[in-house]
Amino acid sequence: MKISQITFTRFLAAIAIVISHFNKDMFVYKTDYISDIFLKANVGVSYFFILSGFIMIIAYHKKEKIDYFEYYKNRLARIYPLYVLGMLLFLVTRYSKFNVIDAFLYLSGLQSWIPGKAMILNFPGWSISVEFLFYLIFPLLYNYFYSKKNKSIWVTGIVLWIITQVFSHLYEASPSYKGPHTESHELLYYFPLMHVSEFLVGNLAGLFFVNHFKQKNYDIPVILVFTVVMLSLIFVPLFYHNGLMAVLFIPLILFISWNNGLVTRIFALKPLEYLGEVSYAVYITHIPILYILREVLKGQNYKLDINSVFWIYLAVLIITSMLFYQFIEKPLRDYLKKLNIR
């Protein structure tokens, strides 16, 4: 089952994160309410985690059992080449940051397990460290719960999500939380176990989707839920980073996936679907590409305002991401999948 229209939403989430990591002097931060959205755009990572859980079910729901080795090989083939590329590009301008221990933690995907190390080297890689945990546990969940239609996983997933939300809000408000750029911040925001519930509720949404597939025109619900998401980010001062927005993201994902209206026809256009396909390259390379571009512009003595730099950066990022996808991600993914190393 392929859901073309959901693919483009990955690109939208990735671009929101890109903007949130760019200079806060750019134009989107000069407008009230709009700036509130992009200041909280890291919630896009939560969307990725939930969507990842959803897509895993869509991809495997017809299998009786997942072969562990094949699954792990295919997942690594999908994400690891660009994950490594992100680190190498980062070191082009930040080579002084390199050390063997950090490289080992990054390459093994262990950095997010150690508060104080989550942001080493190419810092968007912290979320891939979390995804490694998702990929590790998914075949177990599928073989022992999902394929056997074991209802206990529903209770487990929902209870774990509730516990995560309660703990996150209490911890952020407690004296133990010391604010950004501290180990307590990395524990709260980046520790993999803080995000497992997002993947699990994404799995449950996927199960609900395949068992209640009902394609029709859901344009209005899609627009309404998306509007509520934006209004929530603007007006509701809650801690969204660890999956609270699942209460809105899951309906949004379901309505978009079920929809056959105008929104779907637009989102399923091949150019937009292609942008969704390159969204992983956009996300994992956007920081090193920004650092490299800054060095190039500085070296050429260009005197550009911050908004002009952003548009140049966005164009360069999308073009390079297309090249990375076309000439690195796809070929290496296909090659690694075909390797017979068992």
Side-chain angles (χ1 to χ4, degrees), residues 147-264:
S147 66
K148 298 182 185 302
K149 303 188 186 304
N150 190 324
K151 302 296 184 184
S152 65
I153 194 65
W154 286 82
V155 176
T156 302
I158 293 170
V159 169
L160 183 60
W161 179 83
I162 293 172
I163 291 172
T164 301
Q165 303 319 307
V166 172
F167 176 83
S168 297
H169 283 80
L170 291 178
Y171 186 76
E172 187 192 33
S174 75
S176 298
Y177 178 65
K178 307 301 182 182
H181 311 298
T182 65
E183 291 185 4
S184 63
H185 182 82
E186 294 198 2
L187 174 66
L188 178 62
Y189 277 72
Y190 310 128
F191 193 64
L193 295 182
M194 299 300 294
H195 299 283
V196 170
S197 67
E198 294 166 275
F199 184 73
L200 286 180
V201 295
N203 286 164
L204 299 182
L207 291 172
F208 184 81
F209 173 81
V210 297
N211 291 324
H212 300 84
F213 186 72
K214 47 181 179 181
Q215 197 168 41
K216 59 187 248 186
N217 189 329
Y218 285 105
D219 281 344
I220 292 177
V222 166
I223 293 169
L224 287 176
V225 176
F226 180 77
T227 301
V228 174
V229 169
M230 295 297 103
L231 293 176
S232 298
L233 294 177
I234 294 170
F235 295 111
V236 184
L238 294 174
F239 183 80
Y240 291 119
H241 190 73
N242 291 353
L244 180 62
M245 196 62 82
V247 296
L248 294 176
F249 283 158
I250 287 176
L252 184 64
I253 290 169
L254 288 173
F255 283 133
I256 291 174
S257 301
W258 280 327
N259 188 33
N260 63 5
L262 179 61
V263 170
T264 288

Side-chain angles (χ1 to χ4, degrees), residues 46-320:
S46 183
Y47 180 80
F48 286 149
F49 290 159
I50 295 167
L51 185 61
S52 178
F54 180 81
I55 294 299
M56 282 296 104
I57 294 294
I58 304 305
Y60 289 93
H61 76 279
K62 291 184 178 180
K63 289 184 175 291
E64 291 185 10
K65 185 177 182 180
I66 292 176
D67 179 277
Y68 293 96
F69 182 83
E70 282 299 312
Y71 176 83
Y72 294 139
K73 185 181 74 169
N74 290 340
R75 287 293 90 202
L76 284 175
R78 168 71 178 85
I79 66 171
Y80 203 70
L82 287 192
Y83 179 69
V84 175
L85 177 67
M87 183 191 78
L88 296 177
L89 290 173
F90 178 87
L91 291 172
V92 169
T93 59
R94 298 294 190 274
Y95 50 85
S96 63
K97 300 285 187 181
F98 177 83
N99 66 70
V100 173
I101 293 176
D102 285 355
F104 170 77
L105 290 174
Y106 182 92
L107 292 173
S108 60
L110 295 174
Q111 70 270 40
S112 292
W113 290 94
I114 306 172
K117 291 291 188 179
M119 309 302 279
I120 57 174
L121 302 178
N122 181 31
F123 69 77
W126 77 265
S127 64
I128 309 306
S129 174
V130 175
E131 289 274 1
F132 285 153
L133 174 62
F134 298 163
Y135 297 156
L136 180 66
I137 65 175
F138 180 72
L140 295 166
L141 292 171
Y142 189 87
N143 291 343
Y144 291 99
F145 293 95
Y146 302 144
S147 66
K148 298 182 185 302
K149 303 188 186 304
N150 190 324
K151 302 296 184 184
S152 65
I153 194 65
W154 286 82
V155 176
T156 302
I158 293 170
V159 169
L160 183 60
W161 179 83
I162 293 172
I163 291 172
T164 301
Q165 303 319 307
V166 172
F167 176 83
S168 297
H169 283 80
L170 291 178
Y171 186 76
E172 187 192 33
S174 75
S176 298
Y177 178 65
K178 307 301 182 182
H181 311 298
T182 65
E183 291 185 4
S184 63
H185 182 82
E186 294 198 2
L187 174 66
L188 178 62
Y189 277 72
Y190 310 128
F191 193 64
L193 295 182
M194 299 300 294
H195 299 283
V196 170
S197 67
E198 294 166 275
F199 184 73
L200 286 180
V201 295
N203 286 164
L204 299 182
L207 291 172
F208 184 81
F209 173 81
V210 297
N211 291 324
H212 300 84
F213 186 72
K214 47 181 179 181
Q215 197 168 41
K216 59 187 248 186
N217 189 329
Y218 285 105
D219 281 344
I220 292 177
V222 166
I223 293 169
L224 287 176
V225 176
F226 180 77
T227 301
V228 174
V229 169
M230 295 297 103
L231 293 176
S232 298
L233 294 177
I234 294 170
F235 295 111
V236 184
L238 294 174
F239 183 80
Y240 291 119
H241 190 73
N242 291 353
L244 180 62
M245 196 62 82
V247 296
L248 294 176
F249 283 158
I250 287 176
L252 184 64
I253 290 169
L254 288 173
F255 283 133
I256 291 174
S257 301
W258 280 327
N259 188 33
N260 63 5
L262 179 61
V263 170
T264 288
R265 291 196 292 276
I266 293 173
F267 281 17
L269 291 171
K270 289 301 180 183
L272 299 189
E273 184 181 1
Y274 184 76
L275 288 176
E277 295 289 349
V278 305
S279 62
Y280 174 52
V282 169
Y283 174 74
I284 201 64
T285 67
H286 76 276
I287 291 299
I289 291 297
L290 176 61
Y291 291 166
I292 292 171
L293 180 64
R294 283 175 177 169
E295 291 298 318
V296 170
L297 294 178
K298 186 168 62 176
Q300 298 297 320
N301 293 315
Y302 286 120
K303 302 297 183 183
L304 300 171
D305 65 90
I306 199 65
N307 295 323
S308 298
V309 172
F310 171 73
W311 292 117
I312 294 171
Y313 166 53
L314 191 61
V316 170
L317 177 62
I318 292 174
I319 292 170
T320 55

